[in-house]
Amino acid sequence: MTSMTSVELNYLIFRYLQESGFTHSAFALGYEAAINKCPIDGNLVPPGALITFVQKGLQYLEMEANLNNSDADVDEDFSFIQPMDLITKDVNELRRMVKEKRRSSRKDREKECEKDRDRERKRGRDNRRLDKEKEVKDGEGKEKDEKTVREKDEKVVKEKDEKAVKEKDEKAAREKDERIAREKEEKAAREKEEKAAREKEEKAVREKEEKAARERDEKAARERDEKAARERDEKAARERDEKIARERDEKVASEREEKAVREREEKAVKERQEKAGKVKEEKTGKERDERFGKERDEKVGREWEEKAGKEEEKAKLQDGHSDKESVIEREEKNFIKKEDNGVCADLEPMDMSPSAPTLECEISASDVTILEGHTSEVCACAWSPSGSLLASGSGDSTARIWAMSEGSSKLYNGSTSIVVLKHFKGNTNEKSKDVTTLDWNGEGTLLATGSYDGQARIWNINGELRSTLSKHKGPIFSLKWNKKGDYLLTGSCDKTAIVWDVKTEEPKQQFEFHSGPTLDVDWRNNVSFATSSTDNMIYVCKVGENSPVKTYAGHQGEVNCVKWDPTGTLLASCSDDSTAKVWSMKQDGFVHDLKDHSKEIYTIRWSPTGSGTSNPNQQLVLASASFDSTVKLWDVELGKLLHSLNGHREAVYSVAFSPNGEYLASGSLDRSLHVWSLKEGKS
């Protein structure tokens, strides 16, 4: 029997995988079996060839089983049925092929039988001729031989007849069996055809039903998709409307919040201005009263002079006694004028506390350098680390860098020694760009300024604007460089603090922990810092952390200032609650609560002494300046008051230690500057 080659089988399987949609499996088989090199013409192989081959094989086996039930004479060799015949021919054609083969086989067998009979007859004739020749030759026993021959011939004829009858019977039986087998095959074929027709009809019905079901499913899916699309569109429209409404509400809320922030900022600024202006107004009122009093006294003096002149004319006619009285009156008048003008020789100096006696001294005009140029109040000033440059910031929307040298002029009002840093465009100053704070980097090569417009600016010493840092939504009240000089820290009225990457000019991180304007910021090290706010809170933050490292709550009023000690272990703060507090990173509560001031404390400073400074053998001291007109020095180790410096008559707004830590300078609204000796506790 002809066998199928592995190449043919691989090709049929390859085609089956392709037709079934198993493209990856088909690709793998095609690659490994080298299908592209196969000599089979794919156009000659119909679709579904492998399935057809398997089905035909089953049919062939069934046919073979049926044929084996016939007589043993039936030829069982089916080698003439080739694999391609099984694939390309249906069962009826295969049956016809089998029938033709069987008929051809029977004819061949009959011919062989006929030839055998002819050979037997010829052999009989030959035997008879030989016998006759022997009889003739011998001449004896002719009758006996004839009888024997006759019997023998009869026996042969009888055997032949019996054999012929037997063959005839066998042939009849074979024909009968063939007829029965044919009828059985025809019946089986009919049944199969009927079954195939039935299956075809059922398949058609099934396909029709499946098609109808598919159409129903597709229709349902379409309706479902349309419904889902409608719902999705409705949901998208709803979400869009909700988003628009939410954005509108957020915008309204944002505008409302911005308005509230602006109002709070304006209120905070107004309160600060009122704090600063209250004293100014009182002083201005006092000066106005003095001026009005002086004018009134001058007017009275003039009236008295006129009256005295008239009385002098009358006195010419009177005696010398009257002259003496007029002289006395003039002396009294002159005395009153001198006293009203504050030129009384017996005027006492300002009152000082017994613990801090004041030694008044006058500084010679030759030792004073006047820096002129700003057209409004100067809000901040700072020396560069080199000590040769002084930066100042003003309400005229400018900052200035003054080149200071011992051999320079004592009056700076030109352009050769001054660099003007304009925070506005054009010639008109903008009040919203008032410079509120400034700070030098550690090398003294860059100056950072903060202003009311919410922008921080970085300048070089030649006055060139290097960077404009814009993200705050309110005035900047405080800014500081870290020691390394790669980060700039800003605190704003918008309640946030921002760490700026100076190299990229972008915000490194924005910290939004306070619920009120941020009033002050101070670095602890290159990545950690403290912030204070009008919300009475203090937060210690770290770059890269999304929550405060430490939270200090204890003040009952706005926290105006925070400062780390030289080692970065203690944090000092001062507040409108009239207290200063010292905090430690090792505990949540304050270490010391310093309560000796009677009014708000505006600022504090650590002395450049003790551990971590260039004066390690001197005691570490904290100075606090208050609206109660005093400066107080504190022993931070014991939390006790060392000295109360009571020389000022108005609020004290600023204090600064000398580099050696032996002196403290303080500035006040009373228009005076005091320099205090910390060793003697006096100015």
Side-chain angles (χ1 to χ4, degrees), residues 404-647:
M404 307 297 295
S405 62
E406 294 186 3
S408 61
S409 171
K410 299 301 180 181
L411 178 62
Y412 285 79
N413 53 11
S415 60
T416 57
S417 301
I418 307 171
V419 177
V420 180
L421 314 177
K422 293 184 178 181
H423 289 61
F424 59 90
K425 296 180 180 179
N427 297 322
T428 304
N429 295 4
E430 300 177 42
K431 194 64 180 173
S432 65
K433 298 183 184 293
D434 288 2
V435 180
T436 56
T437 181
L438 47 80
D439 190 38
W440 291 94
N441 69 344
E443 298 176 352
T445 57
L446 297 175
L447 176 69
T449 61
S451 64
Y452 257 77
D453 62 1
Q455 294 182 346
R457 296 171 175 84
I458 299 176
W459 316 75
N460 63 17
I461 58 176
N462 297 321
E464 297 174 356
L465 180 61
R466 294 284 298 273
S467 306
T468 300
L469 310 178
S470 303
K471 188 173 178 64
H472 282 300
K473 298 179 181 179
I476 295 176
F477 285 160
S478 176
L479 60 76
K480 298 285 175 60
W481 291 89
N482 69 345
K483 188 174 181 180
K484 189 176 179 182
D486 57 342
Y487 291 152
L488 180 67
L489 174 63
T490 57
S492 169
C493 198
D494 65 4
K495 308 177 187 178
T496 71
I498 298 178
V499 173
W500 302 87
D501 188 325
V502 177
K503 186 176 181 180
T504 63
E505 301 181 8
E506 295 293 333
K508 179 70 174 178
Q509 189 173 353
Q510 186 169 20
F511 298 84
E512 304 178 19
F513 304 137
H514 287 294
S515 59
T518 303
L519 299 181
D520 196 20
V521 295
D522 194 41
W523 288 99
R524 179 180 179 226
N525 50 42
N526 283 319
V527 294
S528 179
F529 60 90
T531 64
S532 66
S533 168
T534 60
D535 62 5
N536 308 345
M537 299 296 294
I538 300 170
Y539 293 115
V540 179
C541 309
K542 186 177 182 180
V543 177
E545 299 289 341
N546 295 323
S547 57
V549 177
K550 207 77 172 175
T551 300
Y552 295 133
H555 282 294
Q556 303 302 314
E558 298 180 3
V559 184
N560 297 314
C561 184
V562 285
K563 289 288 181 290
W564 290 98
D565 77 334
T567 63
T569 57
L570 296 178
L571 178 68
S573 62
C574 63
S575 167
D576 283 355
D577 64 4
S578 304
T579 71
K581 290 178 171 51
V582 179
W583 313 82
S584 172
M585 288 295 291
K586 298 179 181 179
Q587 62 187 62
D588 295 331
F590 52 77
V591 178
H592 299 301
D593 191 8
L594 313 177
K595 297 183 177 180
D596 281 70
H597 284 291
S598 60
K599 290 186 179 180
E600 299 94 326
I601 304 176
Y602 187 75
T603 188
I604 49 176
R605 287 291 185 277
W606 291 96
S607 64
T609 55
S611 178
T613 69
S614 57
N615 307 298
N617 297 324
Q618 299 182 39
Q619 181 184 12
L620 179 64
V621 175
L622 178 67
S624 59
S626 170
F627 287 179
D628 64 5
S629 308
T630 69
V631 177
K632 297 188 186 296
L633 302 178
W634 307 88
D635 181 341
V636 292
E637 184 176 352
L638 300 176
K640 293 184 178 181
L641 179 66
L642 292 174
H643 298 289
S644 180
L645 311 179
N646 303 329

Side-chain angles (χ1 to χ4, degrees), residues 242-255:
E242 291 174 357
K243 183 179 179 182
I244 293 171
R246 192 164 57 248
E247 289 177 350
R248 187 170 58 247
D249 295 340
E250 289 176 354
K251 185 178 179 182
V252 172
S254 176
E255 291 175 352

